[in-house]
Amino acid sequence: MIINANDVKTKGVSMFSKLFETVDELIINVRGKNKYVVLDIERYKELREVELDLAYIKSMQDIEKGNFKSQSAKEHIEELKNEL
């Protein structure tokens, strides 16, 4: 569902509770462009969990392929300094 930023401005965030009874997410449109997404906190937690699971899977795939290196914290800091 798409709502205008002016509606949020005039009605306040209290309008979200009623809208979340029928939808999982709200898109806020600012000056004709979809700019923000508002999620119920439980929906956000679900999406964040999926995101973290995917990052873990990708990390494990990198390890299996050998796409990693081992180094000390000091070596890592020096590498970061050199990249700057």
Side-chain angles (χ1 to χ4, degrees), residues 1-83:
M1 169 175 248
I2 300 173
I3 58 175
N4 289 315
N6 283 337
D7 289 338
V8 177
K9 185 177 179 181
T10 58
K11 297 175 185 172
V13 295
S14 60
M15 67 184 279
F16 294 164
S17 294
K18 181 145 179 81
L19 293 171
F20 280 133
E21 291 175 5
T22 57
V23 297
D24 290 336
E25 59 191 48
L26 301 169
I27 297 171
I28 299 178
N29 187 289
V30 179
R31 296 184 189 106
K33 294 184 180 181
N34 294 340
K35 188 142 182 162
Y36 303 104
V37 176
V38 180
L39 304 171
D40 175 88
I41 192 66
E42 293 306 316
R43 177 81 170 125
Y44 170 79
K45 288 177 183 178
E46 290 171 8
L47 292 173
R48 183 69 176 135
E49 186 176 326
V50 170
E51 181 181 42
L52 293 172
D53 287 345
L54 181 58
Y56 175 78
I57 290 168
K58 287 181 177 180
S59 296
M60 296 309 293
Q61 289 172 343
D62 280 342
I63 290 170
E64 288 174 8
K65 293 176 186 173
N67 294 337
F68 69 94
K69 62 181 171 183
S70 296
Q71 61 187 166
S72 69
K74 184 176 180 178
E75 292 169 328
H76 183 64
I77 290 170
E78 285 302 315
E79 185 177 301
L80 292 173
K81 285 180 182 177
N82 291 335
E83 288 181 11

